[in-house]
Structure formats: C-alpha cells, structure tokens
Amino acid sequence: MMPKILRIENLKKYYPVLGGVFQRKVADVRALDGVDLDIFRGECLGLVGESGCGKTTTGKAIIRLHDPTAGHIHYFPSKNETDSSADIATLKKGDLRKMGIRGKLQMVFQDPTTSLNPRMLIKNIIAEPIKAQNNIGSRALEERVMELLRIVGLTQDHYLRYPHEFSGGQRQRIAVARAIATSPEFIVLDEPTSALDVSVQAQILNLLIQLQQKLGLTYLFVTHHLLVVKYISHRLAVMYLGKIVEIAQTNDLFTRPLHPYTHALLSGIPVPDVEHKQWRIVLSGDVPSPLNPPAGCRFHTRCPFAEDRCREEEPLLEFAETGHQVACHRQNEMDKLIAQRFGHKLIGGAVSH
Ligand code: SF4
C-alpha cells in the first residue's frame, strides 16, 4: 500500500438555516457529519452515493473551497507519511497559499460550460492559476500553457480561442489543463464526465488515467455513475446522508458488498443480457432530510434489515476484512439475510444460484 496523502478525521460541514425577522440561525443542514477517510498516494478513490449525500461537499471541503465546520484534513506533502502533516482544515487560506499547499490540491468541475469563464481566452484561463502560484516570465508562461494544451490533447491553434468555440469534451480537456497547471498532487474530479456525450466520456476517462500515471496524481472521483467509477477507481467509498458507510477495493465492493445500501446501489445497475435474471433491492422512501437525520443508523428508515438496535445505536465504520470497512450492526449476517429475503445469493444485483 502506498503512503497516505490525506487523512480525513471526523470532517463536518454544516450550513446554517436562517429564519425569523432577524434572520437568525434556526437550524443546520448537516451536509457532512463526521467523515473519516484515508486517501493513498497514486490511487483513484471513487466516492459514490445518491444526490445530496455530501459527495461534492466532501471534495470542496478537502480543497478548502468550503471551510469545514469541524474535523481535520491532514495533508502529507512528502512521500513519507511519517513526516509532519499540515492540517488543511484549520490553516488560514493565506497560509495555505504561502506554504504552497493551495496549488497542490485542485478540482475539475462537472460542467465545463459553466466552470470556464466565457469572456477569457484559453491562454488566460490556463495561465491564471500558474500566475497566482509563481512569479513567471511571459515567455515561460506561454511555453507552459502550450505544453499543457499538448498534454491534454489540444494544439497551439486553440491557444487564442474562447470556450464557446469548443465542444463539451474539448472544454473538459481545458478544465483538466487548468487543474494540472500548478503541478498538483491531488485532484477532486466532481462528476467530470456526466455532462458529456457517452462517446466522449471514455476519451476523458482515458485522458485522466493517462495523466494519473504520467504525473503521479491522486484522485478523488465523485460520481453517482457506478460503471464509470468501476472503470477508473482503485477503491470505492459509499456515502449516505453525510457519512461514509462502506469502503473497499473496487473489485471487492462490486463482488462482495457488505452494507445493504451498497447492495441496493449495485442492484440498480442494469445488466445487458435478456437471459439474465436481475433482482433488485428497491429502497422505499426518500433520503431523510440532513436538517434532522435519523437517530442510530441513518439508513434505518429505508433498510429492509433494520432492527431495534439500528434505531438507537449508530454503527461505527469498522474493518470487516483487510481493506474493507463497513458501518452496519448486521454486516456479519448480511449474506444470510439477503438469501432469506430474496431466496438467492445476491451479489451486486446479480443472482447466484
Ligand atoms: Fe440496516 Fe441496521 Fe445495518 Fe443500518 S445498521 S444498515 S439499519 S442493518
């Protein structure tokens, strides 16, 4: 296992809800409510879950686009994780810049149409983060921008154009060039392919894989698209209502999920085979409000296997096997429970007789 680049401990992000004549805080939206996560150098960690579960907020909090309410984000700047780390969650933004950490953590957003300034030339869009980090001459800056365009599969003909002159896939390449312009170590990829045509999605995924290998990057890949994340991720973390409920190697998670919520997500993936019998765990009800999350296990209001203990006691995220963590009181008996309920051994939606 590679050394850690980030260790996230009890990360919380609450957004205040204001009300009354004086617009005072009346409640909190608990978007993240105690996230614990280790991210290893050189890996792509997929973060999956339903819309509104806190995936994007996690990415934004890690790179300090949003300030965390509580918790720690330890960043290990060298390849030796025993060296001292910096706590990104508590450092002032000015200090992050002075210590050179700002440029080491970047993000690629979902929709390149809105994430690129339509009034700026491509050369300025890519040059902007470089100028913010370094005192660099105009000749060297131009060469660096040209090099970045080449790396992401564009040419020098694109240097003096505006974003609207490009296709969606090309715009996402420009967004990737801007993200790698400061030679980052860690990039949050927030649904980077979901706004693109299917034919272009594979090209962008392959570009991201090539860049990861070539530049030694670490990714947090945020998505709700399980097949996309299966293609690119080494490990997967599953999120539900502001908490991580399961983490495992991608293969393990797809072949032996332990949490009922992961089972439900995987059983929703369509199988392109008419002969294949597919069984689904259909979750009843909506995701509860993060304004007032359920006591005990947050999933108990939708879990087909909930018992009294689940309604009272919150399950901790613990190792069930090497490299496989899960937060469920009944994970030891999950295979049996699923077999009893569905009459089959159900693995990620596939039925094994
Ligand atoms: Fe379901 Fe209980 Fe496990 Fe929560 S702890 S996922 S309610 S069985």
Side-chain angles (χ1 to χ4, degrees):
M1 185 66 81
M2 295 294 281
K4 291 184 195 91
I5 186 168
L6 289 165
R7 189 173 67 228
I8 297 155
E9 291 175 343
N10 198 23
L11 187 65
K12 296 184 180 177
K13 177 64 190 172
Y14 295 174
Y15 295 99
V17 178
L18 306 178
V21 180
F22 298 105
Q23 287 293 289
R24 294 211 172 103
K25 188 175 100 167
V26 291
D28 281 310
V29 173
R30 301 181 188 190
L32 299 182
D33 208 5
V35 168
D36 294 300
L37 200 57
D38 287 335
I39 303 179
F40 298 93
R41 262 183 195 277
E43 77 167 341
C44 176
L45 175 67
L47 188 57
V48 298
E50 288 164 292
S51 298
C53 70
K55 308 183 295 292
T56 297
T57 308
T58 305
K60 287 182 173 171
I62 292 174
I63 67 161
R64 282 290 296 275
L65 272 184
H66 289 182
D67 290 337
T69 307
H72 301 281
I73 305 165
H74 299 286
Y75 166 59
F76 299 90
S78 82
K79 291 191 177 161
N80 186 355
E81 73 181 71
T82 55
D83 286 356
S84 61
S85 62
D87 188 352
I88 298 169
T90 53
L91 279 170
K92 289 185 181 144
K93 285 191 174 164
D95 290 336
L96 285 174
R97 196 164 290 114
K98 273 188 230 152
M99 292 167 72
I101 297 175
R102 241 299 165 244
K104 294 293 172 195
L105 312 168
Q106 291 290 350
M107 187 155 182
V108 174
F109 297 90
Q110 179 175 0
D111 186 356
T113 310
T114 50
S115 69
L116 302 178
N117 187 336
R119 294 196 183 87
M120 285 173 78
L121 289 166
I122 299 311
K123 68 165 189 167
N124 293 330
I125 289 173
I126 300 175
E128 200 176 38
I130 306 173
K131 286 197 281 188
Q133 298 294 319
N134 307 301
N135 201 359
I136 185 169
S138 55
R139 182 79 200 142
L141 183 62
E142 186 181 326
E143 279 171 12
R144 175 72 177 141
V145 173
M146 291 289 192
E147 183 195 6
L148 288 163
L149 285 174
R150 266 196 310 277
I151 289 174
V152 298
L154 298 171
T155 68
Q156 57 185 28
D157 293 346
H158 300 119
Y159 187 71
L160 289 174
R161 294 204 199 161
Y162 287 95
H164 72 267
E165 297 177 67
F166 293 89
S167 66
Q170 286 175 319
R171 278 199 284 260
Q172 201 56 302
R173 285 176 191 269
I174 295 162
V176 171
R178 182 179 59 180
I180 61 170
T182 55
S183 305
E185 294 187 333
F186 173 77
I187 303 181
V188 176
L189 301 165
D190 184 14
E191 307 250 16
T193 56
S194 61
L196 305 176
D197 292 341
V198 176
S199 57
V200 181
Q201 287 184 10
Q203 293 172 17
I204 297 298
L205 286 177
N206 288 335
L207 171 69
L208 292 169
I209 291 169
Q210 282 163 19
L211 290 178
Q212 184 175 34
Q213 288 162 357
K214 194 167 163 184
L215 306 176
L217 297 168
T218 305
Y219 292 151
L220 178 69
F221 196 104
V222 173
T223 186
H224 62 272
H225 198 310
L226 287 159
L227 290 180
V228 166
V229 91
K230 187 180 184 185
Y231 182 67
I232 191 169
S233 297
H234 302 105
R235 287 193 308 144
L236 275 184
V238 181
M239 237 182 145
Y240 184 79
L241 207 57
K243 280 190 175 282
I244 305 283
V245 296
E246 186 162 6
I247 309 174
Q249 298 288 330
T250 303
N251 241 354
D252 279 357
L253 199 105
F254 271 82
T255 53
R256 195 160 184 275
L258 296 177
H259 197 282
Y261 179 60
T262 313
H263 269 288
L265 287 181
L266 297 183
S267 72
I269 301 174
V271 179
D273 180 355
V274 285
E275 300 293 323
H276 182 95
K277 268 193 185 175
Q278 190 169 1
W279 294 69
R280 289 198 62 184
I281 300 181
V282 180
L283 296 176
S284 56
D286 293 327
V287 183
S289 167
L291 271 172
N292 188 18
C297 173
R298 289 175 177 219
F299 188 54
H300 83 250
T301 53
R302 302 170 81 198
C303 179
F305 311 113
E307 54 182 15
D308 287 349
R309 185 183 174 194
C310 306
R311 293 176 195 97
E312 289 152 15
E313 198 184 315
E314 184 170 350
L316 300 174
L317 187 65
E318 291 175 328
F319 279 98
E321 302 160 6
T322 312
H324 197 149
Q325 290 169 274
V326 63
C328 173
H329 293 310
R330 308 191 73 186
Q331 54 90 8
N332 283 332
E333 40 178 348
M334 198 48 65
D335 282 352
K336 196 175 80 195
L337 290 171
I338 285 180
Q340 279 169 359
R341 192 174 180 97
F342 296 96
H344 298 274
K345 188 167 188 251
L346 184 146
I347 301 169
V351 178
S352 160
H353 295 276

